[in-house]
Amino acid sequence: MVKRFPVLKEVLHLLFPMVLTMTLELSISVVDTIMLGHYSALHLAAVGLASSLWLPVGCFLIGVTFGLTPLVTRHLHGRQPKLVNLYMSQAVGLSVGLGLLASLVAIFLLPYFAGLMATEEETRQVSVSYLYIFAPALPMLALMTAYKNLFEAAGRPGFPLFVASFGLALNILFNYVLIFGNFGFPEMGAKGAALASALSLYLAVSMFLVYDRFINKTPLFTRLVWRYTRKFSILLNVGAPAGFAFAFEVGLFSSMTWLISSFGDLALGGGQIVMSYTSFLFTPMMAMSAVTAIVVAKAMSKEGVDGVRKRIRVIVWLGLSYVSTCFIITQVFHNQIPYIYSNNAEVVALAASILLISSCYQFPDMLQTVFTGALRGFRDTRSTMIAFAASLFGLSIPFGFWLSHYSPWAETLSLRGFYIGLGAGLTLLAAILIVRFQIVLRRYEGKRIASPREVA
């Protein structure tokens, strides 16, 4: 079937390794959650709280580098590979500069909010320690994503997959040693998880640098142009709105964590389980978004709007098949899944009830993810940022807060109302992005991006 449908072959060639890469990268967080859940319910809650604070900052850093994808794709297919050095130099400057700023925020500002939201003193102390240890690794998070985007945009997803596999193996080992204090190392709990994640990020960036510089026969990033490490306006114009949009989405989940903290630390633990599980399921959809941006940019430079439509149809059908499978699995096993993360009966029961709700909003979540990638392929990221802000913070949080606290069903729904509000916001977001995509397509009808110079 793949041979008969060349568009499907093109999409799957990129999608499979990227899904595996992102799944392995996210598995680092899943491993942290599982090991800490079996170590201590309070440590699990503390990491959930700390993650809800640094993730919006970290995801902004990741999102800024998303601007590399359409730019690199069009220049490589336009046979102007040397221009890639300019964009990667900008990515290095942005990653280091914004990463250092993010580290300072995580060290000096976020612990204050952790103290406000934690209901137990031990939870507060562990959250603050986690932030202090993990903060210096934030620049590496941005650099690793920039390198990964570079290789994937060039159609070489194999090495990022290897880095993710090796990083996961090391993280499991580091967690086992540092969380529980095995092989003579001190028992560090959540602090050990933070140290393990930071070490994994530093090693991943080192592997990308050494491979592309000394081993890769056709290196992609051949020269650091120092002038462009300070002049990064092109990448920032595309990447900043994408970064804000990504941070808005993750920030919504983080805001929900802050809001449900009033229901107690066990509720935080249940919310962390749901976030970890749904994030794991969301990973292939993130890969679909990245693939969509790549194939849309490539199709517009070679075939035009008709080529874009063909690829979008294939990706949407693949997405529908995937989320339908996830929906069935979650609905059938919602009582058993939380036991993977924790053996606390109250935490498990709460997480199980939320999973029934979260499985329903995966359908609009898939659509908004795919069309976000499609618009990014056209370098249309500002409208996506506005749509995210309006839908998620204009509808999801107010509606969820009303359901949980003031609606006639507030006592029954409790914190579950926030997740129903999330589903409503994602549905509105998907509708807005689909309409915007159709408008952009009509604007480019009958046109092609004939030269990569047009996007520079």
Side-chain angles (χ1 to χ4, degrees):
M1 187 175 73
V2 172
K3 291 181 180 178
R4 289 178 57 193
F5 299 99
V7 173
L8 179 62
K9 180 180 179 180
E10 176 190 359
V11 171
L12 292 179
H13 169 73
L14 289 170
L15 186 61
F16 277 140
M18 288 173 71
V19 167
L20 288 173
T21 300
M22 290 187 177
T23 302
L24 289 167
E25 288 174 349
L26 189 67
S27 295
I28 292 175
S29 174
V30 174
V31 167
D32 289 352
T33 303
I34 292 174
M35 289 192 175
L36 287 169
H38 290 281
Y39 177 77
S40 165
L42 282 178
H43 278 241
L44 175 63
V47 171
L49 179 58
S51 298
S52 72
L53 291 168
W54 75 260
L55 268 175
V57 178
C59 287
F60 174 75
L61 296 177
I62 292 172
V64 166
T65 65
F66 284 170
L68 276 173
T69 304
L71 296 170
V72 169
T73 300
R74 287 176 182 172
H75 283 298
L76 286 176
H77 289 285
R79 302 193 179 187
Q80 292 179 305
K82 290 185 178 180
L83 290 177
V84 173
N85 287 331
L86 304 187
Y87 292 125
M88 272 303 290
S89 298
Q90 293 182 42
V92 170
L94 271 176
S95 299
V96 174
L98 293 179
L100 290 173
L101 181 61
S103 297
L104 294 174
V105 170
I107 291 172
F108 293 106
L109 185 61
L110 297 186
Y112 171 75
F113 292 103
L116 291 178
M117 289 180 282
T119 57
E120 299 283 343
E121 179 61 24
E122 183 181 355
T123 304
R124 186 196 67 80
Q125 291 178 354
V126 174
S127 297
V128 171
S129 299
Y130 186 96
L131 290 169
Y132 285 159
I133 295 172
F134 185 76
L138 286 172
M140 297 301 106
L141 178 65
L143 276 174
M144 182 195 71
T145 310
Y147 262 114
K148 184 172 73 70
N149 289 340
L150 172 65
F151 275 78
E152 290 171 349
R156 304 186 201 174
F159 188 70
L161 176 59
F162 170 76
V163 172
S165 304
F166 189 69
L168 175 61
L170 286 179
N171 188 258
I172 292 173
L173 176 62
F174 292 157
N175 270 327
Y176 180 72
V177 169
L178 297 173
I179 291 176
F180 298 100
N182 292 305
F183 304 118
F185 282 83
E187 182 180 328
M188 300 177 67
K191 291 187 285 186
L195 184 58
S197 297
L199 288 172
S200 298
L201 287 173
Y202 275 96
L203 286 171
V205 173
S206 301
M207 290 172 68
F208 273 117
L209 181 63
V210 170
Y211 173 77
D212 197 41
R213 187 75 175 173
F214 302 107
I215 302 174
N216 195 1
K217 294 181 180 178
T218 53
L220 297 171
F221 183 26
T222 57
R223 185 169 65 93
L224 181 66
V225 185
W226 286 101
R227 182 160 56 96
Y228 280 91
T229 59
R230 300 185 300 275
K231 296 181 179 181
F232 37 67
S233 58
I234 297 174
L235 180 59
L236 190 61
N237 284 338
V238 181
F244 278 116
F246 193 24
F248 285 156
E249 184 173 14
V250 176
L252 175 68
F253 284 91
S254 298
S255 300
M256 290 174 59
T257 301
W258 307 335
L259 291 169
I260 66 177
S261 65
S262 61
F263 292 93
D265 285 353
L266 291 181
L268 272 176
Q272 176 64 11
I273 289 174
V274 173
M275 181 180 287
S276 179
Y277 175 72
T278 54
S279 298
F280 189 80
L281 297 185
F282 183 68
T283 303
M285 291 189 272
M286 283 188 65
M288 287 179 192
S289 180
V291 169
T292 305
I294 293 170
V295 298
V296 164
K298 182 180 176 182
M300 277 306 300
S301 65
K302 291 189 173 184
E303 301 175 38
V305 168
D306 289 339
V308 171
R309 285 200 176 102
K310 290 177 186 177
R311 286 155 179 80
I312 290 294
R313 282 196 292 268
V314 169
I315 293 172
V316 168
W317 277 112
L318 287 172
L320 286 173
S321 302
Y322 171 72
V323 294
S324 298
T325 304
C326 293
F327 175 80
I328 293 170
I329 291 172
T330 306
Q331 289 285 327
V332 173
F333 298 105
H334 69 278
N335 285 318
Q336 289 76 32
I337 291 168
Y339 279 106
I340 300 173
Y341 297 89
S342 177
N343 50 17
N344 185 294
E346 291 183 59
V347 172
V348 165
L350 183 60
S353 65
I354 297 173
L355 285 176
L356 288 173
I357 302 169
S358 67
S359 62
C360 298
Y361 61 65
Q362 287 172 353
F363 291 94
D365 205 11
M366 180 276 298
L367 290 173
Q368 68 86 7
T369 305
V370 168
F371 285 96
T372 295
L375 290 170
R376 195 162 70 241
F378 283 102
R379 293 184 63 191
D380 184 356
T381 52
R382 286 183 176 83
S383 59
T384 305
M385 176 185 69
I386 296 169
F388 267 82
S391 302
L392 299 183
F393 290 98
L395 177 61
S396 288
I397 290 182
F399 184 48
F401 192 83
W402 177 78
L403 286 173
S404 293
H405 291 283
Y406 298 108
S407 72
W409 318 281
E411 188 174 343
T412 303
L413 288 175
S414 185
L415 64 98
R416 299 169 190 84
F418 288 112
Y419 292 88
I420 296 174
L422 174 60
L426 288 172
T427 302
L428 176 61
L429 175 60
I432 293 173
L433 293 179
I434 290 171
V435 171
R436 175 62 182 174
F437 177 71
Q438 295 301 325
I439 293 171
V440 171
L441 275 187
R442 283 197 292 270
R443 183 186 303 164
Y444 281 89
E445 195 76 52
K447 299 179 182 178
R448 283 197 313 167
I449 298 176
S451 168
R453 293 183 184 276
E454 294 181 23
V455 300

